[in-house]
Amino acid sequence: MPRSVPTNTEVITLGADTHKDIHVAVALDGLGRRLGTLSVPAIPAGYENLVNWARGFGPLERAGVEGTGSFGAGLTRFLRAQGIEVFEVIRPKRRDQYRSGKSDPIDAEAAARSVLAGTAIGQPKDADGEVEMIRTLRITRRSALKARAQAANQIQALLVTAPEGLKSELCELSTARLIEKASRLRPGATLSDVEAATKFALRSVARRYQHLSKEISELDERLNRLVSEVAPQLVAVEGIGTDTAASLLIAAGDNPERLKNEAAFAHLCGAAPIPASSGKTVRHRLNRHGDRDANRALYVIAICRMSCDKRTRAYVERRTKEGKSKKEIIRCLKRYIAREVYRILASLSLNKPPVPVP
């Protein structure tokens, strides 16, 4: 006999509250009735156990997951490999928590109900392709830059209290020359006095600075090559370099098709003005949400174009005559740039490795 098509009441919706070691899930039927709660370890075996448990109630087609970009990334990949549609669920608002309380099962049930009600419409990033590779390299580069800046500051701090002979020899040097000279200091086999100890400390920090500089250069080389291969059209745009292109690619993810239109991308980058009208007053306010790193990238591109692009400079001059302030002009430019960038991102064909079926 042919298999009957499951009705809406038989289709199961899963909600998951994710943590570092344990995920808590709640299953609902098509009418919103709670069928059960399960806690599983955050490992592939636990994911498989969770899916089998949910399918024991009926066909599992949709799931709402909190933290798809952090603790829930592994679960999201597993569910998608199983052919289950995954929706990104934001953390419940505090005002809702005051009414219903706060616990992992409550949060998991709220995630499932948001999917069932159709309020959870966000598609999580795939995080399984070249853009994810760029993201991991960029995170490492950023931490290396921060550590190198700390090393440079520490050398300057050591010089403030260094013995006068050593201080007068090094304090007037540029950073590059200071690092080079400090890395070749010879404190001696034994640290017999304050000067020897200070030399040893300066040499140690200077060599750390050099090691970090080498690490940053290697990361820059790989990032430049990877970004140029992934999005050559984006890097070719006026004012967009490797760092800004990487920020915009990371904001869109490995599946930029999840963004419905250029307005959605602008809103994601915090470059879309938000309506704030009431009664006879019609106005918009600044959007302070969204991906702040992508917003920074749009700002850098706008500033670069204002200084060297003829069309942008003409636009700035025209808008200034209309009474717009510099901040308002930059906000407009960021919105235009977001539209231009989205069209390029939408046309990209990103290479992704095949997803293994567990």
Side-chain angles (χ1 to χ4, degrees):
M1 294 181 63
R3 184 178 179 181
S4 60
V5 179
T7 63
N8 289 336
T9 57
E10 295 174 340
V11 175
I12 304 302
T13 301
L14 189 69
D17 184 29
T18 59
H19 299 276
K20 181 179 180 181
D21 301 316
I22 294 176
H23 298 337
V24 179
V26 168
L28 305 178
D29 66 6
L31 297 177
R33 294 175 295 196
R34 183 170 176 170
L35 302 176
T37 304
L38 182 67
S39 177
V40 297
I43 56 176
Y47 306 152
E48 185 175 4
N49 184 28
L50 176 61
V51 171
N52 293 335
W53 168 79
R55 284 176 172 167
F57 298 110
L60 177 61
E61 297 181 357
R62 300 176 300 174
V65 180
E66 279 191 30
T68 57
S70 54
F71 294 141
L75 177 61
T76 300
R77 284 192 290 265
F78 186 90
L79 292 174
R80 283 183 160 178
Q82 294 286 331
I84 301 168
E85 187 177 10
V86 181
F87 294 90
E88 185 174 8
V89 179
I90 62 175
R91 187 177 65 179
K93 296 180 180 179
R94 291 187 180 273
R95 65 186 181 190
D96 297 330
Q97 294 176 355
Y98 289 145
R99 291 196 297 263
S100 59
K102 174 75 173 71
S103 70
D104 293 343
I106 291 175
D107 290 346
E109 182 175 351
R113 293 195 181 281
S114 65
V115 174
L116 195 62
T119 56
I121 58 175
Q123 296 294 324
K125 297 178 183 178
D126 282 350
D128 59 358
E130 294 171 321
V131 175
E132 179 65 11
M133 296 164 58
I134 293 172
R135 189 186 72 85
T136 55
L137 293 176
R138 197 161 177 270
I139 288 174
T140 307
R141 179 183 181 274
R142 183 179 297 175
S143 66
L145 283 171
K146 184 176 180 180
R148 187 176 69 173
Q150 290 175 338
N153 293 336
Q154 190 171 21
I155 286 182
Q156 296 294 340
L158 287 170
L159 285 177
V160 171
T161 57
E164 290 302 324
L166 188 61
K167 181 177 179 180
S168 60
E169 180 184 356
L170 300 176
C171 68
E172 298 297 332
L173 299 177
S174 64
T175 301
R177 186 75 182 100
L178 173 61
I179 295 299
E180 180 185 353
K181 194 163 186 177
S183 66
R184 293 186 280 107
L185 290 174
R186 296 182 179 181
T190 59
L191 303 181
S192 56
D193 53 16
V194 174
E195 183 172 352
T198 304
K199 285 183 177 180
F200 185 87
L202 287 170
R203 187 181 68 177
S204 176
V205 180
R207 290 180 177 179
R208 184 192 311 165
Y209 184 100
Q210 290 176 332
H211 175 76
L212 288 167
S213 296
K214 182 180 178 181
E215 180 182 338
I216 292 168
S217 297
E218 292 176 353
L219 289 167
D220 283 338
E221 180 183 354
R222 293 181 181 274
L223 274 171
N224 289 336
R225 183 168 64 250
L226 191 56
V227 171
S228 298
E229 291 175 356
V230 172
Q233 309 96 314
L234 192 59
V235 181
V237 174
E238 179 72 28
I240 299 183
T242 299
D243 184 66
T244 51
S247 297
L248 297 170
L249 284 168
I250 293 169
D254 281 299
N255 50 336
E257 65 277 3
R258 69 192 180 92
L259 302 170
K260 296 180 181 180
N261 48 46
E262 52 93 9
F265 178 70
H267 191 76
L268 172 65
C269 298
I274 299 176
S277 303
S278 179
K280 296 181 179 180
T281 303
V282 179
R283 70 182 188 90
H284 292 76
R285 67 175 178 85
L286 178 65
N287 186 355
R288 299 187 182 276
H289 300 281
D291 189 319
R292 304 318 299 170
D293 190 53
N295 189 280
R296 178 202 60 84
L298 294 178
Y299 177 84
V300 171
I301 297 169
I303 294 298
C304 179
R305 289 186 175 184
M306 288 172 67
S307 62
C308 60
D309 184 62
K310 292 183 179 179
R311 292 187 307 166
T312 305
R313 295 177 71 174
Y315 173 82
V316 171
E317 184 179 353
R318 177 170 60 85
R319 298 293 275 180
T320 302
K321 291 180 180 178
E322 294 175 0
K324 293 287 187 181
S325 66
K326 184 177 179 180
K327 287 185 178 181
E328 291 173 330
I329 294 172
I330 292 175
R331 290 171 193 167
C332 295
L333 285 173
K334 285 160 65 175
R335 183 64 179 84
Y336 293 142
I337 295 168
R339 179 183 296 121
E340 182 181 1
V341 169
Y342 171 78
R343 291 170 180 169
I344 297 174
L345 293 175
S347 66
L348 292 179
S349 178
L350 301 179
N351 298 320
K352 292 189 282 187
V355 179
V357 179

